[in-house]
Amino acid sequence: MAEEHYLELSENPVQFEHASSVNNVFFDEANKQVFAVRSGGATGVVVKGPDDKSSVAFRMDDKGEVKCIKFSIGNKILAVQRTSKSVDFINFIPDYPHTEFSQECKTKNASILGFCWTNWNEVVFITDQGIEFYQVFPDKRSLKLLKSQSINVNWYQYCPETAVILLSTTVQGNILQPFAFRNGTMSKMSKFEIELPVVPKPAKLSLSERDIAMATIYGQLYVMYLKHHSRTANSPSAEVVLYHLSREGSCKKSHVLKLNTTGKFALNIVDNLVVVHHQSSQTSLIFDIKLKEPDCALNIHQPVLPARSIHPYRIPLSGPAAVPSQPPVPCQLYSSSWSVFQPDIIISASEGYLWYLQVKLPPTVNLLQDKGKLMDFLLRRRECKMVILSVCSQILEVGEKGSLPVVATVFDKLNQVYKDYLEAEQSYTQAMESGPSRGSAAQKRPVRTQAVIDQSDMYTHVLSSFTERKGVSHKFIIAVLMEYIRSLNQFQITVQHYLYELVIKTLVQHNLFYMLHQFLQYHVLSDSKPLVSSNQELILRRRVCGSVDAPHLPLSPSRARLPRRAGYVHRFSVSLLNCVLSGVFAAVSGEHVPTRTPAVPGHAEASVHGQRRDHRGSAVEAAGSGCAQIHPQRRWPRQRVCAEVPGRGAADRRPDAVLHGV
Amino acid sequence: MLMISPKMASGMQEKQYTPSLLSFFIYNPTFGPREGEEEKKILFYHPSDVEKNEKIRNVGLCEAIVQFTRTFCPTKPAKSLHTQKNRQFFFEPEENFWMVMVVRNPMIEKPNKDGKPPTVEYQEEEMLDTVYGAVVRQCYSMYKLFNGTFSRAMQAGGVELLMQKLEKFFYRYLQTLHLQSCDLLDVFGGISFFPLDKMTYLKIQSFVNRVEESLSLIKYTAFLYNDQLIWSGLEQDDMRILYKYLTTSLFPRHSEPELAGRDSPMRPEVAGNLLHYGRFLTGPTNLKDPEAKFRFPKIFVSAEDGYEELHLIVYKAMSAAACFMISASVELTREFCEQLDSLVGPQLTLLASDICEQFTINRRISGPEKEPQFKFIYFNHMNLAEKSTIHMRKTASVCLTSVHPDLMKILGDINCDFARVDEDEEIIVKAMTDYWVVGKKSDQRELYVILNQKNANLIEVNEEVKRLCATQFNNIFFLD
């Protein structure tokens, strides 16, 4: 059976000393650091971060049991909470006094639930009676209260990416109050209510901290609520409800993820996918909130893929005790000692590991039968390019009945993304050209994600090998190529010449000259570049005048317009001409029906006049030489055509390298 | 049967007769080489009620002429024989099989006074060999399209079968020959292509490919709109004759009920299908009919090893027609037809309205000023593309032209001149009636323009034609 585990733990976990009676382990979500505090810090604090740079080891005095310990951003200041009244600070900036200083919470009789660093020197205390926002002055070893707000707090959550703190208020705990922090300011966002499945009587705290998580998905902040099933509320299974939290405006319930089961769950966000771990079945589900379910009401989502467990993980034995022959020990997945943090972190404190959860795309290909949906899914993933290309190859390989509409759908989806990128790129270029004077907020250059699959990708990885594969009917090959060209045209993307060449090659190989002729006639194999239609003219002139260059015809101005491309213009012309010439000669002419579409006449000259080198490398005037070389051969002088134009930059030659290399 | 021209000439009772078919026969001299067995040579003779001896005499005469002229040029046998009253056309499509068509020359009957019988004046120069020679060749091609070659019938069932087939086919076909309206277009035997933008064309491609993929029985597909070709999966020569059949016979036969309007009783029941307008032009008229027969006409097209026999399914939705060709060895069932109907019907309906929409947009863009005020015929030997603004829409019965037959004759003459030489040339003719006729031959293309400009001189005419080329044929390469 094919590999089906589409989730895996990162190969290089962060290792730390596992939790024990003498070693307390803390995790800071903001800096993604694990603190191993031995004997209250007296025998050492080891901080391990995602990379070696953020790893630190130090000692501090044992002043009681540590409740919480966190570095400020950039490891500048360490904050340690040991009591419910105060937090202690230690400078980690060189040349600053290292002595601890302490800050008590301002509200009397309040107890500190926790604290969060929102900047390198800004910290927020969350107490059961409100929040207090401080600025830390490490040089003066003091703190200044910037702002505070009184509010009854049951528990809190912090999203470091967006610096938003979410407070659970009221007796039931289901009114959530978010606060946003930015550059020394604290702003209260509008509060919202989480709908509880059952309203308890008498009222008691019913919304647990464990059932709420905050994360950014597709650039938007969401509050995720794990809504457990309840017998009374007539909901057969648990679901995850997503509340969209926007900086302005209210918080709206936006998505519902159906889990179709009950039990203990944990949430992660990986590559904008919501991953729901189910402990009792030891499996995980993934949801893509951008994937629309056709048969569901808006924004109710079913899992994208069937539930599968995380890929089995083996812990390599390390340390001096490790014997090389000893096999790695399988790690118990979904263990009850696991702690899950946002967005993609899983920690096993008892074993001393921190993993990042990852999505593996290749296994998804076989699990999702609907190829259109699969494409929608893959196009939104980070490392999708090769997987998408392999899916394309796979669809073409199967070649079963009715796969053409699927192929068309897939091409359209790819080209939609491709087109969006091209448009963004174009408007960026235009904005740049129009100058910074008019440019408002500096436009960002569009990022080319892996989902942008251009024609050269398709050609290199899919189409060229597909057309050369044995046992595929030429009908299907041509149908696929035409489908791709159709799709490109539909999105008004200029078709690259090597695709045309592929079509022509296939047609010529199967003696389908009449089809070729019809394609030329309807401009299907032209139009996008003047040089293509020039070939038709060329062939014509060849027929009419007996030579390709027809010296009596005037030079076209197009030559002046295409100086940079001239190299491959004529290479292409010659090679397309060769395609057509090899046997087709009598059957093909560049003929158009008298349609009213404007033609591009007179480009032939651009491709034949001008300097060219013959295959021995000496410069010759092009007059007549092109045809003299091609004509007697009547074959595909590929290497020759390629070698004819030396001295082009590698980048310039790329499309041809693709062409002739394969 | 004499066809009387609708046009009565100047004289009060002067009567003009157009060319008409006198006889048409097919023979093979090797079938009755001995004396007394001459009748065996004759495979088909029209009109059939001619006395046996006369048939034998006529066939013998043709045989003799061909045999005799062969001595002068063994490689090119005689093509036609001109006599005062009629003209005979010879054609040997397969070895030793001869087709002969005898056409009576057009004539003018002038009444004489005093009750004397009228004088008949034969206009033997008014007919063009090229036109009627092409008609004979077309007869054969059409026979071959539906029956295969003569020798195929011989192999299958000997002379008897061949004679049966010939009788069956030509009895009906000859009635549809309208010799009086044959002209240059018959010489060309071209295909009119539908002008279309690239995107819509690609959509049609996509449609054809999808249908061929999901109904893998389909071997070839052709797509037409408004009786004009858009796509042919068949080879050019086969498409040429199929196109002729579709546009001059099949489509006109079915267009009349369509024109009759929705609620007319003439309109066949649309099979209760409101989802699409698709229907079969060949085969079953109503799929729902339990008695419906799923028989389609069979056609023969060239293949790598000789010819292949195919079912011809013509399916139409609004103005779009798709021809699907399926190997004749497969028996077509009701299930297949239903599958095809449900798959093709909705898509073709959609496509037809798409094309129509695109076409109107294009027409609006190009504007009325570009509407052809010229009368011209264009033909390209390479892709058989033809375009004529001289001919009205073809109907089942007649092919109407909007110009005088004399001018058509001039066009034919110019064409003959072009055919004689291989080089590009241009011929400008001043006709008797203030008309200028310009013929232009450029490589494989021919263009004929008729201009009606009183007092125009040669230079002006030349300028005018240049202008026409620039507006109507701006994307076609003409050598000057």
Side-chain angles (χ1 to χ4, degrees):
Chain A
M1 201 163 102
E3 172 68 83
E4 287 203 334
H5 304 283
Y6 49 78
L7 289 167
E8 63 181 356
L9 301 174
S10 56
E11 229 166 85
N12 300 310
V14 175
Q15 276 189 54
F16 55 89
E17 190 182 346
H18 63 85
S20 64
S21 54
V22 288
N23 185 39
N24 289 331
V25 177
F26 301 91
F27 178 67
D28 170 20
E29 288 178 81
N31 291 321
K32 307 211 182 333
Q33 287 167 323
V34 182
F35 289 76
V37 183
R38 284 183 70 90
S39 330
T43 47
V45 177
V46 180
V47 184
K48 295 259 186 142
D51 47 30
D52 290 337
K53 252 191 279 172
S54 49
S55 298
V56 193
F58 58 89
R59 257 172 229 278
M60 60 184 189
D61 297 338
D62 183 1
K63 292 183 183 169
E65 196 197 345
V66 174
K67 285 184 163 179
C68 185
I69 179 166
K70 284 171 184 174
F71 268 118
S72 76
I73 291 160
N75 291 1
K76 297 279 197 285
I77 303 164
L78 180 72
V80 188
Q81 187 198 351
R82 294 183 175 107
T83 69
S84 62
K85 291 288 172 200
S86 66
V87 177
D88 305 325
F89 297 89
I90 306 166
N91 283 335
F92 267 70
I93 308 165
D95 307 332
Y96 275 63
H98 281 238
T99 353
E100 281 185 23
F101 53 101
S102 184
Q103 175 70 43
E104 276 192 21
C105 65
K106 287 271 190 265
T107 323
K108 287 207 173 113
N109 304 325
S111 62
I112 299 174
L113 300 173
F115 63 90
C116 314
W117 286 101
T118 59
N119 204 342
W120 78 271
N121 64 346
E122 285 162 16
V123 72
V124 184
F125 290 3
I126 299 101
T127 71
D128 55 357
Q129 290 172 32
I131 54 173
E132 297 166 10
F133 185 32
Y134 293 97
Q135 187 172 8
V136 185
F137 297 97
D139 47 343
K140 295 179 193 155
R141 300 176 56 235
S142 67
L143 279 81
K144 180 184 150 200
L145 181 70
L146 295 174
K147 208 168 182 185
S148 67
Q149 172 99 33
S150 286
I151 186 167
N152 279 327
V153 180
N154 302 309
W155 45 262
Y156 76 98
Q157 294 255 323
Y158 178 53
C159 176
E161 289 168 73
T162 48
V164 170
I165 291 175
L166 196 63
L167 305 177
S168 158
T169 68
T170 70
V171 181
Q172 291 174 9
N174 65 332
I175 306 290
L176 299 183
Q177 173 64 62
F179 285 92
F181 297 85
R182 190 190 280 164
N183 301 331
T185 62
M186 175 177 100
S187 48
K188 191 176 177 180
M189 295 160 74
S190 51
K191 63 183 175 190
F192 61 100
E193 182 183 351
I194 299 274
E195 293 167 35
L196 294 171
V198 214
V199 181
K201 276 178 192 165
K204 56 168 185 165
L205 185 60
S206 331
L207 184 65
S208 156
E209 180 181 358
R210 282 200 310 270
D211 296 336
I212 292 289
M214 275 196 291
T216 45
I217 308 170
Y218 294 116
Q220 299 293 320
L221 180 61
Y222 288 92
V223 173
M224 300 185 284
Y225 166 46
L226 192 57
K227 186 177 182 181
H228 294 284
H229 91 111
S230 77
R231 272 178 222 111
T232 46
N234 198 20
S235 58
S237 60
E239 56 191 33
V240 175
V241 184
L242 265 57
Y243 292 83
H244 180 218
L245 200 54
S246 58
R247 269 194 191 274
E248 298 85 25
S250 57
C251 182
K252 279 192 203 107
K253 180 176 170 179
S254 61
H255 300 271
V256 176
L257 316 180
K258 291 282 184 190
L259 302 181
N260 305 324
T261 178
T262 59
K264 270 183 136 181
F265 300 97
L267 299 172
N268 271 139
I269 303 293
V270 183
D271 203 357
N272 292 318
L273 294 169
V274 181
V275 181
V276 183
H277 306 289
H278 185 226
Q279 199 182 22
S280 54
S281 69
Q282 305 228 334
T283 55
S284 304
L285 293 166
I286 56 174
F287 294 87
D288 184 348
I289 58 167
K290 279 205 181 170
L291 215 57
K292 292 267 188 302
E293 297 284 333
D295 49 351
C296 270
L298 192 70
N299 293 336
I300 292 183
H301 300 266
Q302 292 292 335
V304 180
L305 300 169
R308 290 287 182 272
S309 90
I310 297 172
H311 192 277
Y313 187 84
R314 286 169 183 278
I315 297 174
L317 287 179
S318 57
V323 181
S325 60
Q326 210 171 341
V329 184
C331 168
Q332 198 205 337
L333 302 173
Y334 301 93
S335 145
S336 54
S337 71
W338 275 15
S339 312
V340 172
F341 294 94
Q342 300 313 319
D344 55 353
I345 289 160
I346 294 173
I347 292 176
S348 172
S350 63
E351 284 162 312
Y353 283 96
L354 180 152
W355 295 281
Y356 291 98
L357 188 66
Q358 294 168 341
V359 173
K360 280 198 295 179
L361 294 179
T364 63
V365 172
N366 297 319
L367 290 171
L368 197 52
Q369 289 313 309
D370 180 344
K371 298 296 177 203
K373 201 172 153 189
L374 176 65
M375 272 303 150
D376 284 336
F377 172 76
L378 290 176
L379 282 167
R380 292 194 203 99
R381 305 285 78 82
R382 262 197 311 267
E383 307 277 321
C384 60
K385 182 175 228 155
M386 292 323 287
V387 181
I388 289 175
L389 290 168
S390 80
V391 172
C392 291
S393 293
Q394 196 192 336
I395 300 171
L396 299 183
E397 203 169 323
V398 181
E400 62 196 14
K401 235 182 178 185
S403 63
L404 214 46
V406 178
V407 171
T409 319
V410 168
F411 285 164
D412 284 350
K413 286 187 189 296
L414 296 183
N415 288 330
Q416 176 69 61
V417 177
Y418 181 23
K419 172 70 178 170
D420 290 346
Y421 168 73
L422 290 178
E423 267 181 357
E425 180 79 8
Q426 197 186 6
S427 65
Y428 169 78
T429 320
Q430 276 171 3
M432 287 299 107
E433 274 169 5
S434 66
S437 56
R438 275 210 290 153
S440 46
Q443 203 181 354
K444 261 201 278 178
R445 191 187 180 87
V447 184
R448 183 178 171 143
T449 63
Q450 286 213 0
V452 178
I453 309 275
D454 65 16
Q455 298 174 55
S456 117
D457 294 328
M458 276 305 274
Y459 181 92
T460 318
H461 295 103
V462 181
L463 296 176
S464 63
S465 56
F466 163 65
T467 53
E468 275 161 26
R469 199 182 304 142
K470 296 265 182 327
V472 186
S473 78
H474 62 264
K475 243 184 185 178
F476 187 62
I477 293 176
I478 292 163
V480 167
L481 293 175
M482 292 315 287
E483 205 57 64
Y484 190 53
I485 291 174
R486 182 213 38 88
S487 181
L488 290 170
N489 270 293
Q490 193 161 309
F491 289 100
Q492 292 156 357
I493 302 169
T494 313
V495 181
Q496 295 294 324
H497 62 83
Y498 40 84
L499 292 176
Y500 291 144
E501 208 189 59
L502 214 51
V503 176
I504 294 172
K505 200 178 90 181
T506 313
L507 289 170
V508 169
Q509 272 171 358
H510 294 93
N511 291 323
L512 299 169
F513 301 125
Y514 191 45
M515 284 192 187
L516 173 56
H517 202 157
Q518 293 182 67
F519 289 147
L520 290 171
Q521 189 171 312
Y522 279 98
H523 304 254
V524 169
L525 297 179
S526 68
D527 258 24
S528 70
K529 270 213 174 78
L531 58 102
V532 184
S533 58
S534 77
N535 286 281
Q536 307 170 19
E537 294 271 324
L538 266 180
I539 298 158
L540 259 178
R541 283 179 198 186
R542 174 72 183 74
R543 293 184 48 78
V544 174
C545 318
S547 78
V548 186
D549 52 328
H552 64 275
L553 293 161
L555 264 177
S556 154
S558 65
R559 187 180 154 206
R561 266 187 274 119
L562 291 165
R564 203 175 62 77
R565 313 198 98 156
Y568 85 76
V569 167
H570 83 236
R571 249 180 305 165
F572 170 51
S573 303
V574 170
S575 63
L576 174 56
L577 190 58
N578 277 316
C579 291
V580 180
L581 279 179
S582 51
V584 209
F585 212 49
V588 179
S589 90
E591 176 57 32
H592 318 313
V593 206
T595 60
R596 304 259 167 79
T597 36
V600 201
H603 286 278
E605 301 76 28
S607 54
V608 264
H609 290 269
Q611 285 268 303
R612 181 190 303 173
R613 282 161 193 274
D614 72 6
H615 61 285
R616 289 178 303 277
S618 59
V620 288
E621 189 61 35
S625 67
C627 93
Q629 282 173 14
I630 304 153
H631 183 59
Q633 211 171 0
R634 293 221 165 219
R635 274 184 49 241
W636 230 280
R638 278 192 156 194
Q639 298 81 359
R640 181 95 74 81
V641 171
C642 206
E644 266 176 28
V645 188
R648 293 267 143 205
D652 222 24
R653 199 182 296 158
R654 203 176 65 105
D656 276 62
V658 170
L659 252 185
H660 299 288
V662 248
Chain B
M1 47 172 193
L2 294 179
M3 296 295 290
I4 296 163
S5 158
K7 186 176 145 303
M8 301 297 270
S10 53
M12 264 283 282
Q13 283 125 350
E14 202 170 84
K15 261 186 179 168
Q16 201 169 30
Y17 294 91
T18 55
S20 60
L21 183 69
L22 277 183
S23 58
F24 184 96
F25 45 91
I26 300 167
Y27 67 91
N28 186 328
T30 59
F31 288 177
R34 267 170 280 169
E35 236 175 272
E37 290 180 353
E38 285 90 348
E39 198 190 352
K40 288 187 181 167
K41 294 177 189 172
I42 306 170
L43 300 169
F44 173 78
Y45 201 101
H46 166 89
S48 52
D49 52 5
V50 173
E51 201 255 323
K52 185 178 117 186
N53 281 330
E54 196 190 330
K55 286 183 187 172
I56 293 173
R57 257 206 325 276
N58 286 339
V59 168
L61 177 65
C62 293
E63 214 184 314
I65 291 165
V66 170
Q67 206 56 44
F68 171 68
T69 52
R70 222 187 259 281
T71 53
F72 301 104
C73 180
T75 51
K76 284 187 189 166
K79 281 184 183 155
S80 66
L81 174 71
H82 297 208
T83 63
Q84 188 201 4
K85 291 188 180 173
N86 56 39
R87 198 176 283 194
Q88 306 194 13
F89 299 92
F90 313 110
F91 177 50
E92 186 186 21
E94 294 172 43
E95 199 183 359
N96 289 321
F97 286 97
W98 286 88
M99 294 174 85
V100 180
M101 181 171 78
V102 185
V103 182
R104 204 210 45 216
N105 287 337
M107 58 187 186
I108 296 169
E109 206 178 63
K110 286 181 181 159
N112 282 333
K113 288 168 197 162
D114 317 325
K116 277 187 205 164
T119 350
V120 176
E121 207 174 274
Y122 288 97
Q123 298 173 299
E124 59 248 53
E125 292 310 312
E126 290 304 301
M127 277 183 16
L128 284 168
D129 278 354
T130 47
V131 171
Y132 293 95
V135 170
V136 182
R137 282 195 300 279
Q138 220 169 58
C139 286
Y140 173 71
S141 301
M142 203 59 92
Y143 170 85
K144 202 175 73 169
L145 178 69
F146 290 103
N147 298 283
T149 57
F150 294 157
S151 41
R152 178 185 174 271
M154 289 292 294
Q155 278 163 14
V159 188
E160 273 168 45
L161 182 71
L162 175 61
M163 286 171 70
Q164 270 174 31
K165 279 183 177 284
L166 291 173
E167 182 67 37
K168 194 175 159 211
F169 177 79
F170 282 106
Y171 173 74
R172 272 183 49 194
Y173 183 73
L174 291 180
Q175 293 175 18
T176 65
L177 278 186
H178 301 287
L179 293 183
Q180 74 281 7
S181 55
C182 290
D183 59 32
L184 190 58
L185 284 193
D186 292 280
V187 179
F188 293 146
I191 295 170
S192 176
F193 285 92
F194 188 78
L196 202 60
D197 67 294
K198 185 166 63 166
M199 196 53 228
T200 320
Y201 183 79
L202 283 167
K203 272 190 202 161
I204 293 168
Q205 271 297 315
S206 179
F207 161 78
V208 168
N209 288 334
R210 282 176 195 206
V211 173
E212 284 190 7
E213 199 215 13
S214 47
L215 301 173
S216 51
L217 282 178
I218 296 171
K219 230 173 158 182
Y220 309 103
T221 308
F223 194 100
L224 295 94
Y225 189 86
N226 253 349
D227 293 4
Q228 289 173 301
L229 187 66
I230 293 177
W231 167 251
S232 161
L234 280 183
E235 281 307 307
Q236 198 178 42
D237 280 337
D238 294 320
M239 194 60 230
R240 178 186 222 170
I241 194 70
L242 180 63
Y243 178 78
K244 176 90 188 165
Y245 164 70
L246 294 173
T247 52
T248 59
S249 173
L250 186 69
F251 291 159
R253 253 190 285 146
H254 286 85
S255 70
E256 275 146 37
E258 261 175 9
L259 294 172
R262 222 158 202 275
D263 305 320
S264 151
M266 265 182 86
R267 191 182 170 85
E269 188 56 40
V270 192
N273 201 336
L274 299 169
L275 295 171
H276 60 81
Y277 292 99
R279 63 196 176 94
F280 287 92
L281 291 196
T282 60
T285 42
N286 186 352
L287 279 179
K288 297 276 189 308
D289 181 3
E291 305 278 288
K293 294 248 166 52
F294 297 90
R295 276 209 299 264
F296 293 90
K298 289 182 184 166
I299 59 166
F300 291 78
V301 301
S302 55
E304 278 159 30
D305 46 351
Y307 55 83
E308 61 183 322
E309 195 176 350
L310 302 167
H311 292 288
L312 173 66
I313 301 176
V314 183
Y315 190 89
K316 198 170 181 187
M318 305 203 270
S319 294
C323 306
F324 302 110
M325 283 150 272
I326 295 171
S327 174
S329 56
V330 185
E331 190 158 336
L332 296 178
T333 58
R334 173 186 292 270
E335 287 70 44
F336 179 80
C337 292
E338 281 170 353
Q339 205 187 345
L340 189 136
D341 184 61
S342 63
L343 178 80
V344 175
Q347 290 192 53
L348 195 62
T349 308
L350 206 66
L351 212 48
S353 53
D354 260 18
I355 298 170
C356 180
E357 201 178 309
Q358 272 306 318
F359 184 64
T360 12
I361 289 172
N362 288 348
R363 174 154 276 190
R364 211 174 301 139
I365 290 169
S366 62
E369 76 277 8
K370 271 191 134 185
E371 281 301 298
Q373 294 131 10
F374 301 95
K375 293 190 185 306
F376 68 82
I377 295 178
Y378 164 84
F379 180 69
N380 178 356
H381 288 273
M382 201 79 84
N383 61 357
L384 305 181
E386 80 177 15
K387 189 172 180 175
S388 168
T389 56
I390 290 172
H391 294 76
M392 305 285 134
R393 180 174 267 276
K394 281 173 187 156
T395 63
S397 48
V398 271
C399 177
L400 295 169
T401 58
S402 57
V403 298
H404 194 270
D406 290 346
L407 289 171
M408 287 311 291
K409 164 102 186 343
I410 294 175
L411 295 187
D413 283 334
I414 298 176
N415 171 257
C416 289
D417 283 339
F418 284 160
R420 264 197 283 278
V421 236
D422 222 12
E423 274 154 31
D424 294 341
E425 55 187 345
E426 189 170 296
I427 296 175
I428 300 178
V429 177
K430 172 96 166 68
M432 302 287 274
T433 44
D434 277 336
Y435 280 100
W436 285 87
V437 180
V438 182
K440 218 167 149 65
K441 184 190 178 200
S442 182
D443 194 25
Q444 301 281 311
R445 262 145 284 166
E446 291 176 29
L447 175 68
Y448 303 87
V449 186
I450 297 171
L451 297 168
N452 182 14
Q453 283 177 329
K454 267 189 185 162
N455 308 322
N457 61 27
L458 194 61
I459 295 167
E460 284 162 355
V461 168
N462 198 29
E463 286 299 313
E464 195 66 24
V465 172
K466 267 193 185 153
R467 208 165 62 79
L468 168 71
C469 287
T471 55
Q472 293 283 313
F473 300 99
N474 56 355
N475 51 0
I476 290 176
F477 178 70
F478 277 111
L479 268 188
D480 283 317

